[in-house]
PDB file of all heavy atoms in Angstrom:
ATOM      1  N   GLN A 231    -281.515 125.240  40.927  1.00  0.00           N
ATOM      2  CA  GLN A 231    -281.872 125.580  42.289  1.00  0.00           C
ATOM      3  C   GLN A 231    -283.340 125.260  42.569  1.00  0.00           C
ATOM      4  O   GLN A 231    -283.654 124.652  43.644  1.00  0.00           O
ATOM      5  CB  GLN A 231    -281.535 126.969  42.551  1.00  0.00           C
ATOM      6  CG  GLN A 231    -281.597 127.365  44.094  1.00  0.00           C
ATOM      7  CD  GLN A 231    -280.544 126.603  44.923  1.00  0.00           C
ATOM      8  OE1 GLN A 231    -279.562 126.195  44.396  1.00  0.00           O
ATOM      9  NE2 GLN A 231    -280.862 126.394  46.152  1.00  0.00           N
ATOM     10  N   ILE A 234    -283.666 121.469  43.037  1.00  0.00           N
ATOM     11  CA  ILE A 234    -283.063 120.962  44.286  1.00  0.00           C
ATOM     12  C   ILE A 234    -283.923 121.310  45.475  1.00  0.00           C
ATOM     13  O   ILE A 234    -284.142 120.549  46.378  1.00  0.00           O
ATOM     14  CB  ILE A 234    -281.619 121.524  44.453  1.00  0.00           C
ATOM     15  CG1 ILE A 234    -280.742 120.942  43.419  1.00  0.00           C
ATOM     16  CG2 ILE A 234    -281.119 121.199  45.891  1.00  0.00           C
ATOM     17  CD1 ILE A 234    -280.697 119.508  43.370  1.00  0.00           C
ATOM     18  N   VAL A 238    -285.337 118.691  48.264  1.00  0.00           N
ATOM     19  CA  VAL A 238    -285.104 118.843  49.611  1.00  0.00           C
ATOM     20  C   VAL A 238    -286.431 118.659  50.419  1.00  0.00           C
ATOM     21  O   VAL A 238    -286.514 118.066  51.493  1.00  0.00           O
ATOM     22  CB  VAL A 238    -284.470 120.120  49.956  1.00  0.00           C
ATOM     23  CG1 VAL A 238    -284.530 120.411  51.500  1.00  0.00           C
ATOM     24  CG2 VAL A 238    -282.965 120.146  49.496  1.00  0.00           C
ATOM     25  N   GLY A 259    -273.967 118.960  45.049  1.00  0.00           N
ATOM     26  CA  GLY A 259    -272.853 119.649  45.635  1.00  0.00           C
ATOM     27  C   GLY A 259    -273.229 120.788  46.686  1.00  0.00           C
ATOM     28  O   GLY A 259    -274.330 120.716  47.315  1.00  0.00           O
ATOM     29  N   PRO A 260    -272.391 121.758  46.852  1.00  0.00           N
ATOM     30  CA  PRO A 260    -272.610 122.789  47.932  1.00  0.00           C
ATOM     31  C   PRO A 260    -273.958 123.524  47.747  1.00  0.00           C
ATOM     32  O   PRO A 260    -274.484 123.927  48.754  1.00  0.00           O
ATOM     33  CB  PRO A 260    -271.433 123.797  47.644  1.00  0.00           C
ATOM     34  CG  PRO A 260    -270.327 122.950  47.073  1.00  0.00           C
ATOM     35  CD  PRO A 260    -270.995 121.967  46.242  1.00  0.00           C
ATOM     36  N   SER A 261    -274.450 123.633  46.605  1.00  0.00           N
ATOM     37  CA  SER A 261    -275.692 124.393  46.432  1.00  0.00           C
ATOM     38  C   SER A 261    -276.820 123.651  47.141  1.00  0.00           C
ATOM     39  O   SER A 261    -277.769 124.252  47.710  1.00  0.00           O
ATOM     40  CB  SER A 261    -276.126 124.513  44.946  1.00  0.00           C
ATOM     41  OG  SER A 261    -276.233 123.339  44.320  1.00  0.00           O
ATOM     42  N   ALA A 262    -276.725 122.299  47.157  1.00  0.00           N
ATOM     43  CA  ALA A 262    -277.726 121.534  47.894  1.00  0.00           C
ATOM     44  C   ALA A 262    -277.638 121.773  49.458  1.00  0.00           C
ATOM     45  O   ALA A 262    -278.648 121.855  50.131  1.00  0.00           O
ATOM     46  CB  ALA A 262    -277.521 120.036  47.633  1.00  0.00           C
ATOM     47  N   THR A 263    -276.418 121.911  49.927  1.00  0.00           N
ATOM     48  CA  THR A 263    -276.196 122.186  51.381  1.00  0.00           C
ATOM     49  C   THR A 263    -276.744 123.515  51.675  1.00  0.00           C
ATOM     50  O   THR A 263    -277.412 123.686  52.715  1.00  0.00           O
ATOM     51  CB  THR A 263    -274.700 122.163  51.643  1.00  0.00           C
ATOM     52  OG1 THR A 263    -274.133 120.828  51.387  1.00  0.00           O
ATOM     53  CG2 THR A 263    -274.467 122.445  53.144  1.00  0.00           C
ATOM     54  N   SER A 264    -276.622 124.552  50.818  1.00  0.00           N
ATOM     55  CA  SER A 264    -277.274 125.826  51.081  1.00  0.00           C
ATOM     56  C   SER A 264    -278.776 125.769  51.195  1.00  0.00           C
ATOM     57  O   SER A 264    -279.309 126.323  52.133  1.00  0.00           O
ATOM     58  CB  SER A 264    -276.917 126.795  49.929  1.00  0.00           C
ATOM     59  OG  SER A 264    -275.521 127.081  49.879  1.00  0.00           O
ATOM     60  N   THR A 265    -279.360 124.938  50.269  1.00  0.00           N
ATOM     61  CA  THR A 265    -280.858 124.847  50.334  1.00  0.00           C
ATOM     62  C   THR A 265    -281.306 124.044  51.564  1.00  0.00           C
ATOM     63  O   THR A 265    -282.274 124.405  52.261  1.00  0.00           O
ATOM     64  CB  THR A 265    -281.251 124.063  49.022  1.00  0.00           C
ATOM     65  OG1 THR A 265    -280.791 124.761  47.956  1.00  0.00           O
ATOM     66  CG2 THR A 265    -282.808 123.957  49.033  1.00  0.00           C
ATOM     67  N   LEU A 266    -280.472 123.049  51.915  1.00  0.00           N
ATOM     68  CA  LEU A 266    -280.814 122.235  53.169  1.00  0.00           C
ATOM     69  C   LEU A 266    -280.782 123.151  54.418  1.00  0.00           C
ATOM     70  O   LEU A 266    -281.575 123.087  55.300  1.00  0.00           O
ATOM     71  CB  LEU A 266    -279.892 121.085  53.330  1.00  0.00           C
ATOM     72  CG  LEU A 266    -280.151 119.856  52.356  1.00  0.00           C
ATOM     73  CD1 LEU A 266    -278.910 118.993  52.287  1.00  0.00           C
ATOM     74  CD2 LEU A 266    -281.315 119.104  52.922  1.00  0.00           C
ATOM     75  N   MET A 267    -279.749 124.053  54.482  1.00  0.00           N
ATOM     76  CA  MET A 267    -279.573 124.868  55.601  1.00  0.00           C
ATOM     77  C   MET A 267    -280.784 125.913  55.725  1.00  0.00           C
ATOM     78  O   MET A 267    -281.201 126.150  56.781  1.00  0.00           O
ATOM     79  CB  MET A 267    -278.324 125.675  55.498  1.00  0.00           C
ATOM     80  CG  MET A 267    -277.128 124.940  55.937  1.00  0.00           C
ATOM     81  SD  MET A 267    -277.249 124.479  57.778  1.00  0.00           S
ATOM     82  CE  MET A 267    -277.074 126.107  58.533  1.00  0.00           C
ATOM     83  N   VAL A 268    -281.222 126.392  54.502  1.00  0.00           N
ATOM     84  CA  VAL A 268    -282.392 127.296  54.535  1.00  0.00           C
ATOM     85  C   VAL A 268    -283.544 126.543  55.114  1.00  0.00           C
ATOM     86  O   VAL A 268    -284.286 127.133  55.945  1.00  0.00           O
ATOM     87  CB  VAL A 268    -282.695 127.792  53.136  1.00  0.00           C
ATOM     88  CG1 VAL A 268    -284.009 128.557  53.083  1.00  0.00           C
ATOM     89  CG2 VAL A 268    -281.545 128.716  52.636  1.00  0.00           C
ATOM     90  N   HIS A 269    -283.773 125.346  54.720  1.00  0.00           N
ATOM     91  CA  HIS A 269    -284.962 124.600  55.163  1.00  0.00           C
ATOM     92  C   HIS A 269    -284.794 124.228  56.731  1.00  0.00           C
ATOM     93  O   HIS A 269    -285.739 124.308  57.441  1.00  0.00           O
ATOM     94  CB  HIS A 269    -285.149 123.285  54.381  1.00  0.00           C
ATOM     95  CG  HIS A 269    -285.851 123.443  53.081  1.00  0.00           C
ATOM     96  ND1 HIS A 269    -287.093 123.009  52.831  1.00  0.00           N
ATOM     97  CD2 HIS A 269    -285.419 124.141  51.963  1.00  0.00           C
ATOM     98  CE1 HIS A 269    -287.440 123.370  51.547  1.00  0.00           C
ATOM     99  NE2 HIS A 269    -286.419 124.050  51.019  1.00  0.00           N
ATOM    100  N   LEU A 270    -283.632 123.899  57.089  1.00  0.00           N
ATOM    101  CA  LEU A 270    -283.318 123.585  58.487  1.00  0.00           C
ATOM    102  C   LEU A 270    -283.609 124.809  59.351  1.00  0.00           C
ATOM    103  O   LEU A 270    -284.110 124.578  60.462  1.00  0.00           O
ATOM    104  CB  LEU A 270    -281.842 123.105  58.657  1.00  0.00           C
ATOM    105  CG  LEU A 270    -281.293 122.777  60.050  1.00  0.00           C
ATOM    106  CD1 LEU A 270    -282.140 121.728  60.672  1.00  0.00           C
ATOM    107  CD2 LEU A 270    -279.834 122.492  59.994  1.00  0.00           C
ATOM    108  N   SER A 271    -283.223 125.920  58.960  1.00  0.00           N
ATOM    109  CA  SER A 271    -283.360 127.117  59.774  1.00  0.00           C
ATOM    110  C   SER A 271    -284.866 127.626  59.785  1.00  0.00           C
ATOM    111  O   SER A 271    -285.200 128.283  60.723  1.00  0.00           O
ATOM    112  CB  SER A 271    -282.497 128.244  59.218  1.00  0.00           C
ATOM    113  OG  SER A 271    -281.095 127.821  59.174  1.00  0.00           O
ATOM    114  N   ILE A 286    -277.859 116.664  55.751  1.00  0.00           N
ATOM    115  CA  ILE A 286    -276.670 117.420  55.497  1.00  0.00           C
ATOM    116  C   ILE A 286    -275.406 116.643  55.822  1.00  0.00           C
ATOM    117  O   ILE A 286    -274.447 116.656  55.064  1.00  0.00           O
ATOM    118  CB  ILE A 286    -276.706 118.775  56.367  1.00  0.00           C
ATOM    119  CG1 ILE A 286    -277.878 119.647  55.875  1.00  0.00           C
ATOM    120  CG2 ILE A 286    -275.439 119.532  56.159  1.00  0.00           C
ATOM    121  CD1 ILE A 286    -278.119 120.885  56.646  1.00  0.00           C
ATOM    122  N   VAL A 289    -274.978 114.008  53.174  1.00  0.00           N
ATOM    123  CA  VAL A 289    -274.565 114.565  51.839  1.00  0.00           C
ATOM    124  C   VAL A 289    -273.120 114.791  51.911  1.00  0.00           C
ATOM    125  O   VAL A 289    -272.315 114.480  50.971  1.00  0.00           O
ATOM    126  CB  VAL A 289    -275.379 115.839  51.492  1.00  0.00           C
ATOM    127  CG1 VAL A 289    -274.722 116.560  50.364  1.00  0.00           C
ATOM    128  CG2 VAL A 289    -276.874 115.462  51.230  1.00  0.00           C
ATOM    129  N   THR A 291    -271.117 117.339  51.762  1.00  0.00           N
ATOM    130  CA  THR A 291    -270.419 118.354  50.859  1.00  0.00           C
ATOM    131  C   THR A 291    -270.774 119.765  51.413  1.00  0.00           C
ATOM    132  O   THR A 291    -271.767 119.869  52.126  1.00  0.00           O
ATOM    133  CB  THR A 291    -270.765 118.260  49.426  1.00  0.00           C
ATOM    134  OG1 THR A 291    -272.204 118.448  49.286  1.00  0.00           O
ATOM    135  CG2 THR A 291    -270.393 116.852  48.847  1.00  0.00           C
ATOM    136  N   GLY A 292    -270.086 120.744  50.991  1.00  0.00           N
ATOM    137  CA  GLY A 292    -270.477 122.073  51.237  1.00  0.00           C
ATOM    138  C   GLY A 292    -270.087 122.612  52.586  1.00  0.00           C
ATOM    139  O   GLY A 292    -270.707 123.413  53.136  1.00  0.00           O
ATOM    140  N   TRP A 293    -268.935 122.085  53.175  1.00  0.00           N
ATOM    141  CA  TRP A 293    -268.523 122.581  54.510  1.00  0.00           C
ATOM    142  C   TRP A 293    -268.248 124.094  54.455  1.00  0.00           C
ATOM    143  O   TRP A 293    -268.434 124.864  55.421  1.00  0.00           O
ATOM    144  CB  TRP A 293    -267.341 121.870  55.034  1.00  0.00           C
ATOM    145  CG  TRP A 293    -266.126 122.125  54.267  1.00  0.00           C
ATOM    146  CD1 TRP A 293    -265.519 121.386  53.222  1.00  0.00           C
ATOM    147  CD2 TRP A 293    -265.096 123.198  54.409  1.00  0.00           C
ATOM    148  NE1 TRP A 293    -264.390 121.856  52.729  1.00  0.00           N
ATOM    149  CE2 TRP A 293    -264.143 123.022  53.559  1.00  0.00           C
ATOM    150  CE3 TRP A 293    -265.091 124.231  55.293  1.00  0.00           C
ATOM    151  CZ2 TRP A 293    -263.022 123.903  53.403  1.00  0.00           C
ATOM    152  CZ3 TRP A 293    -264.017 125.106  55.195  1.00  0.00           C
ATOM    153  CH2 TRP A 293    -262.963 124.905  54.271  1.00  0.00           C
ATOM    154  N   SER A 294    -267.773 124.654  53.296  1.00  0.00           N
ATOM    155  CA  SER A 294    -267.520 126.043  53.141  1.00  0.00           C
ATOM    156  C   SER A 294    -268.812 126.901  53.228  1.00  0.00           C
ATOM    157  O   SER A 294    -268.846 127.953  53.756  1.00  0.00           O
ATOM    158  CB  SER A 294    -266.857 126.345  51.793  1.00  0.00           C
ATOM    159  OG  SER A 294    -267.601 125.849  50.756  1.00  0.00           O
ATOM    160  N   VAL A 295    -269.917 126.272  52.815  1.00  0.00           N
ATOM    161  CA  VAL A 295    -271.265 126.940  52.947  1.00  0.00           C
ATOM    162  C   VAL A 295    -271.668 127.058  54.381  1.00  0.00           C
ATOM    163  O   VAL A 295    -272.065 128.106  54.868  1.00  0.00           O
ATOM    164  CB  VAL A 295    -272.285 126.143  52.103  1.00  0.00           C
ATOM    165  CG1 VAL A 295    -273.665 126.679  52.472  1.00  0.00           C
ATOM    166  CG2 VAL A 295    -272.017 126.144  50.648  1.00  0.00           C
ATOM    167  N   LEU A 296    -271.346 126.006  55.156  1.00  0.00           N
ATOM    168  CA  LEU A 296    -271.670 125.953  56.618  1.00  0.00           C
ATOM    169  C   LEU A 296    -270.807 126.971  57.278  1.00  0.00           C
ATOM    170  O   LEU A 296    -271.273 127.680  58.290  1.00  0.00           O
ATOM    171  CB  LEU A 296    -271.451 124.629  57.169  1.00  0.00           C
ATOM    172  CG  LEU A 296    -272.345 123.497  56.604  1.00  0.00           C
ATOM    173  CD1 LEU A 296    -271.959 122.132  57.225  1.00  0.00           C
ATOM    174  CD2 LEU A 296    -273.795 123.769  56.917  1.00  0.00           C
ATOM    175  N   THR A 298    -269.884 129.901  56.270  1.00  0.00           N
ATOM    176  CA  THR A 298    -270.512 131.179  56.027  1.00  0.00           C
ATOM    177  C   THR A 298    -271.608 131.465  57.091  1.00  0.00           C
ATOM    178  O   THR A 298    -271.852 132.588  57.489  1.00  0.00           O
ATOM    179  CB  THR A 298    -270.939 131.429  54.646  1.00  0.00           C
ATOM    180  OG1 THR A 298    -272.007 130.488  54.399  1.00  0.00           O
ATOM    181  CG2 THR A 298    -269.849 131.198  53.656  1.00  0.00           C
ATOM    182  N   HIS A 299    -272.286 130.336  57.408  1.00  0.00           N
ATOM    183  CA  HIS A 299    -273.362 130.527  58.396  1.00  0.00           C
ATOM    184  C   HIS A 299    -272.924 130.684  59.811  1.00  0.00           C
ATOM    185  O   HIS A 299    -273.725 131.050  60.705  1.00  0.00           O
ATOM    186  CB  HIS A 299    -274.294 129.159  58.297  1.00  0.00           C
ATOM    187  CG  HIS A 299    -275.220 129.174  57.182  1.00  0.00           C
ATOM    188  ND1 HIS A 299    -274.729 128.788  55.975  1.00  0.00           N
ATOM    189  CD2 HIS A 299    -276.490 129.471  57.017  1.00  0.00           C
ATOM    190  CE1 HIS A 299    -275.719 128.829  55.016  1.00  0.00           C
ATOM    191  NE2 HIS A 299    -276.862 129.217  55.641  1.00  0.00           N
TER     192      HIS A 299
END
Side-chain angles (χ1 to χ4, degrees):
Q231 194 62 27
I234 293 303
V238 168
S261 64
T263 301
S264 295
T265 305
L266 284 162
M267 277 297 290
V268 170
H269 281 248
L270 175 62
S271 302
I286 294 174
V289 169
T291 62
W293 68 266
S294 58
V295 172
L296 297 176
T298 65
H299 284 78

